[in-house]
Amino acid sequence: AQTIHQWPVAEIKAVGSPLSLGCTIKGKSSPNLYWYWQATGGTLQQLFYSITVGQVESVVQLNLSASRPKDDQFILSTEKLLLSHSGFYLCAWSLVGLWAETLYFGSGTRLTVL
Amino acid sequence: TQTVSQSDAHVTVFEGDSVELRCNYSYGGSIYLSWYIQHHGRGLQFLLKYYSGNPVVQGVNGFEAEFSKSDSSFHLRKASVHWSDSAVYFCAASMNTGYQNFYFGKGTSLTVIP
């Protein structure tokens, strides 16, 4: 069975500080990986997706970056946090195919920027 | 242009009632439609999806959804809700135009009163 693990569960950070969030998928070889940001109020915004190691596509510009250093790992980071980065970050994976049919999500990381 | 719209931000029902959560989409090509559930502070869980065939699809925990091309809709239903069904429900659409094209509605918060 596939499992998706996100870390940390929650972070409280200061404006201007760096950030690194992680996601690991076990039990699925070479999945497509995604980062989503969920604002207070529930709207989901796709940030990045990756279909292979070392290749990441940006969907929106939010002064964030993402990397896929291993087949099963997806990292979201920034060198300088903004207040607007607060929210709930969700990692997801999908099967490889013509397009993403179904997303499977991790438990999320709650980020509070003060 | 909103690809997926959920007209009801909040729905409140009593335990044992039936419920319908509405979703409309706007896209003329091949489309996957799906529903996800998010309990408070958690990640999203996949409920069901439709691409073709029988327009009524069954999901987990007694949920079903019906696709209507004429109405451009994919409404979620449950015949008898339980208090544990209280959550936010997201309708989603993915198109065969790229992995970034996976859109979520704004969500409907369902409250079930015991």
Side-chain angles (χ1 to χ4, degrees):
Chain A
Q2 302 85 18
T3 60
I4 177 168
H5 173 61
Q6 278 190 248
W7 74 91
V9 172
E11 280 268 45
I12 299 175
K13 304 278 278 186
V15 169
S17 63
L19 174 77
S20 182
L21 305 180
C23 169
T24 299
I25 293 86
K26 296 298 182 187
K28 177 56 65 178
S29 178
S30 302
N32 296 330
L33 298 176
Y34 308 82
W35 277 111
Y36 276 81
W37 174 71
Q38 186 175 30
T40 305
T43 305
L44 285 150
Q45 172 66 60
Q46 190 180 118
L47 302 176
F48 300 93
Y49 69 92
S50 170
I51 61 173
T52 192
V53 174
Q55 188 177 341
V56 177
E57 301 295 330
S58 173
V59 179
V60 293
Q61 291 297 325
L62 286 178
N63 292 307
L64 295 167
S65 60
S67 65
R68 186 171 179 176
K70 301 180 190 177
D71 186 56
D72 64 352
Q73 197 173 74
F74 208 18
I75 306 296
L76 183 71
S77 60
T78 182
E79 292 186 3
K80 230 177 218 189
L81 278 165
L82 307 172
L83 283 174
S84 58
H85 286 138
S86 290
F88 196 46
Y89 288 84
L90 291 155
C91 180
W93 68 271
S94 73
L95 294 171
V96 175
L98 292 177
W99 71 91
E101 300 169 12
T102 304
L103 296 182
Y104 300 95
F105 287 86
S107 299
T109 296
R110 174 73 57 190
L111 174 66
T112 304
V113 182
L114 302 173
Chain B
T1 305
Q2 210 167 7
T3 305
V4 181
S5 62
Q6 294 179 245
S7 54
D8 299 315
H10 302 279
V11 172
T12 301
V13 296
F14 287 95
E15 198 167 38
D17 285 351
S18 63
V19 70
E20 179 177 86
L21 305 182
R22 291 178 291 189
C23 172
N24 290 90
Y25 67 92
S26 57
Y27 186 69
S30 297
I31 190 168
Y32 266 90
L33 293 162
S34 48
W35 278 94
Y36 291 79
I37 180 174
Q38 184 180 34
H39 287 101
H40 182 67
R42 308 292 298 276
L44 277 73
Q45 289 178 273
F46 170 74
L47 276 180
L48 47 75
K49 71 180 177 187
Y50 172 82
Y51 178 66
S52 64
N54 189 335
V56 179
V57 291
Q58 306 293 327
V60 296
N61 294 332
F63 285 98
E64 67 173 31
E66 183 166 6
F67 170 77
S68 170
K69 189 171 183 179
S70 59
D71 294 339
S72 298
S73 69
F74 189 55
H75 301 330
L76 181 71
R77 302 190 294 242
K78 188 168 182 178
S80 177
V81 293
H82 187 263
W83 65 267
S84 60
D85 293 325
S86 296
V88 180
Y89 291 79
F90 290 93
C91 182
S94 63
M95 287 78 81
N96 62 345
T97 51
Y99 294 106
Q100 71 277 20
N101 292 324
F102 199 109
Y103 301 102
F104 286 88
K106 292 186 178 181
T108 297
S109 177
L110 174 65
T111 299
V112 181
I113 300 171

